[in-house]
Amino acid sequence: QLQLQESGPGLVKPSETLSLTCTVSGGSISSSSYYWGWIRQPPGKGLEWIGSIYYSGSTYYNPSLKSRVTISVDTSKNQFSLKLSSVTAADTAVYYCARHNVEVFGVVLLYFDYWGQGTLVTVSS
Amino acid sequence: SYELTQPPSVSVSPGQTARITCSGDALPKQYAYWYQQKPGQAPVLVIYKDSERPSGIPERFSGSSSGTTVTLTISGVQAEDEADYYCQSADSSGTSVVFGGGTKLTVL
């Protein structure tokens, strides 16, 4: 059974960089059929896609966050990571990692079928 | 930027049918997906590619599509179905993901 687990600091200061890692177990992150994504949810609000990455390093980002987001992959550790720079209180949210189904040839991003449990990151001084 | 529009809330009595809609200009071109989220839990995929049901999802969950609107239908609603439901799709290029604002389903 595929499992994903987010890890990283639960508290980040304003203007600093939020860094999270997602560890995938029960399957290979190098599978040719999937991207791997980050989604966040501010307290009491809806879901927002941050971005997704292929094992080769190919990425797609939410245009509204693109200038501050970097997603990377480490296939040797079966992990992918999120960095969000210049954070403010508006970036306080539960951050989820998930497996992202795609149409690989002529990339079309489809749906998320396996999710981590989520981790709350609070931006505060 | 591209948006998907859902009603904020839907209420039904147990045993009745709940219908949650999601509207977006690119839906005729892109598939829609539906997630169920209960408090304190990660979302769970309940419908993919407009109308397909993942294994383990009860048959009372179904999806349909017509033009720029997709609909999640829950037949014979049970108390355990009370949750937030989100639709999700992609923009017309297929390279940017968007979620609807979510619909809170209340079972009276």
Side-chain angles (χ1 to χ4, degrees):
Chain A
Q1 176 78 345
L2 190 75
Q3 293 186 322
L4 296 91
Q5 179 67 57
E6 306 89 351
S7 60
L11 181 64
V12 181
K13 290 181 169 56
S15 80
E16 295 189 344
T17 296
L18 178 159
S19 297
L20 295 174
T21 295
C22 182
T23 300
V24 179
S25 58
S28 174
I29 203 170
S30 299
S31 171
S32 60
S33 302
Y34 307 106
Y35 273 59
W36 303 88
W38 288 98
I39 303 101
R40 71 179 182 178
Q41 185 172 36
K45 297 187 179 181
L47 301 167
E48 180 180 37
W49 173 67
I50 300 171
S52 298
I53 190 166
Y54 198 50
Y55 74 92
S56 65
S58 173
T59 53
Y60 291 94
Y61 295 134
N62 184 326
S64 68
L65 297 170
K66 187 174 183 176
S67 64
R68 298 195 292 131
V69 173
T70 301
I71 298 176
S72 58
V73 64
D74 186 337
T75 56
S76 67
K77 296 181 178 179
N78 229 32
Q79 295 176 335
F80 62 107
S81 297
L82 168 69
K83 291 188 184 299
L84 181 65
S85 64
S86 304
V87 298
T88 69
D91 295 308
T92 293
V94 174
Y95 286 75
Y96 296 99
C97 59
R99 189 174 79 171
H100 198 171
N101 284 256
V102 300
E103 292 179 4
V104 179
F105 299 104
V107 175
V108 177
L109 303 178
L110 304 180
Y111 55 96
F112 303 95
D113 57 354
Y114 287 90
W115 294 65
Q117 65 184 23
T119 187
L120 175 63
V121 179
T122 301
V123 178
S124 175
S125 56
Chain B
S1 61
Y2 181 50
E3 294 183 352
L4 296 175
T5 302
Q6 299 180 234
S9 62
V10 168
S11 299
V12 295
S13 299
Q16 298 299 306
T17 296
R19 294 180 179 85
I20 300 172
T21 59
C22 173
S23 299
D25 289 342
L27 288 176
K29 183 178 180 180
Q30 301 294 347
Y31 286 120
Y33 316 99
W34 290 94
Y35 302 87
Q36 176 193 68
Q37 186 181 34
K38 297 182 179 180
Q41 298 182 17
V44 173
L45 181 71
V46 295
I47 294 290
Y48 67 101
K49 292 187 177 181
D50 292 346
S51 60
E52 299 295 317
R53 195 173 51 249
S55 61
I57 299 301
E59 291 184 7
R60 64 180 182 273
F61 288 87
S62 64
S64 61
S65 176
S66 178
T68 59
T69 299
V70 294
T71 302
L72 172 68
T73 300
I74 310 172
S75 304
V77 166
Q78 301 181 6
E80 66 196 50
D81 300 329
E82 185 164 284
D84 293 326
Y85 291 85
Y86 294 90
C87 64
Q88 179 243 307
S89 185
D91 69 355
S92 57
S93 73
T95 59
S96 186
V97 170
V98 62
F99 287 92
T103 298
K104 182 175 181 58
L105 175 66
T106 299
V107 181
L108 301 171

